[in-house]
Amino acid sequence: MLRKLIAGNWKMNGLRHSLDQVSSLMQKVGKAPKADILICPPALLLMEMARMTKDSPIMVGGQDCHWKESGAHTGEISAQMLANAGASHVIVGHSERRADCGENSKTVRHKAEAALAAGLIPIICVGETLAQREAGEAASVVRDQVEQSMPTQSKGEIVIAYEPVWAIGTGKVASAADIAEIHALLREQVGPGIRLLYGGSVKPGNAAEILHIENVDGALVGGASLTAEDFFGIIENA
Ligand code: PGA
């Protein structure tokens, strides 16, 4: 069994004072937590968070990166910059970026490749919309997204996060049977070594059930990662 990874995605939330939550989380988790722990804060907080957590088991990651190493791309952040700031991971292809910024799986693959080239672990997000699930297309949509978003050549660790779009930030969680079904298909598709996270309204109250489903190797947590108390409540259930 792969060690669980509990990853928090702060999205566009967090000001400098939010780093207090990280100090408090460090106290709660101690030196030997039950799972690997990652927080992906807004880019502006990343360097300070990486400095704070340097001697703790908490890792820090980016929420997105550009596919190029450097150059004339105003407003963008490269994978190399994230690594240089102290990140170990970067989320790519989150459904909010696929929807808000028009990212497709080909873009996501280039970003994942850039992450690997910079020595980062990409967390590649996939997931179907409600309309796709209702049309019975969930499995095929997810399979196609994984196939097209996975780096083709580069070597290095990769994480995949299955996040049904309709479960993100809505309080609706996919049923254990649905999660088990998609994760079994993903396992078959990508093999044994790749961690498969579930994401979408994971909270302290449902984490135990979700994290014990076969082929679920951790969680990608949005809202509940913003406070140390809730995030630790999920980590404890790993
Ligand atoms: P949520 O977000 O936990 O707030 O539903 C999950 C995610 O988007 O990663």
Side-chain angles (χ1 to χ4, degrees), residues 68-87:
K68 288 270 181 65
E69 206 178 285
S70 62
H73 301 284
T74 302
E76 295 287 346
I77 294 172
S78 72
Q80 199 182 29
M81 290 171 187
L82 293 171
N84 188 242

Side-chain angles (χ1 to χ4, degrees), residues 7 9 11 91 94-96 125 163 167-172 199-203 220-225:
N9 172 11
K11 309 190 179 183
I91 298 169
H94 190 281
S95 64
E96 285 151 17
C125 300
E163 300 200 298
I168 295 176
T170 56
K172 288 187 198 140
S201 299
V202 178
K203 309 279 177 219
L220 182 54
V221 183
S225 70

Side-chain angles (χ1 to χ4, degrees), residues 42-173:
L44 284 173
L45 295 181
L46 198 146
M47 222 157 105
E48 178 61 11
M49 197 182 283
R51 193 192 61 75
M52 286 170 67
T53 55
K54 195 164 63 73
D55 299 318
S56 90
I58 298 172
M59 300 177 286
V60 170
Q63 296 179 6
D64 177 50
C65 67
H66 197 268
W67 58 88
K68 288 270 181 65
E69 206 178 285
S70 62
H73 301 284
T74 302
E76 295 287 346
I77 294 172
S78 72
Q80 199 182 29
M81 290 171 187
L82 293 171
N84 188 242
S88 55
H89 293 66
V90 60
I91 298 169
V92 291
H94 190 281
S95 64
E96 285 151 17
R97 293 202 61 88
R98 289 182 189 255
D100 298 352
C101 312
E103 291 187 8
N104 58 33
S105 291
K106 193 174 156 205
T107 323
V108 175
R109 174 160 54 85
H110 290 148
K111 290 182 174 206
E113 286 167 354
L116 288 171
L120 296 176
I121 299 170
I123 301 178
I124 301 171
C125 300
V126 295
E128 81 286 358
T129 62
L130 186 57
Q132 289 165 332
R133 173 155 288 271
E134 284 172 347
E137 294 165 357
S140 64
V141 165
V142 169
R143 189 191 52 230
D144 290 353
Q145 284 180 344
V146 169
E147 194 180 302
Q148 293 160 21
S149 308
M150 286 280 278
T152 40
Q153 294 162 348
S154 329
K155 286 199 187 71
E157 188 182 342
I158 289 171
V159 176
I160 292 175
Y162 168 56
E163 300 200 298
V165 176
W166 49 272
I168 295 176
T170 56
K172 288 187 198 140
V173 185

Side-chain angles (χ1 to χ4, degrees), residues 25 115 147 157 197 214 230:
L25 184 67
E147 194 180 302
E157 188 182 342
L197 312 185
E214 210 179 338
D230 282 353

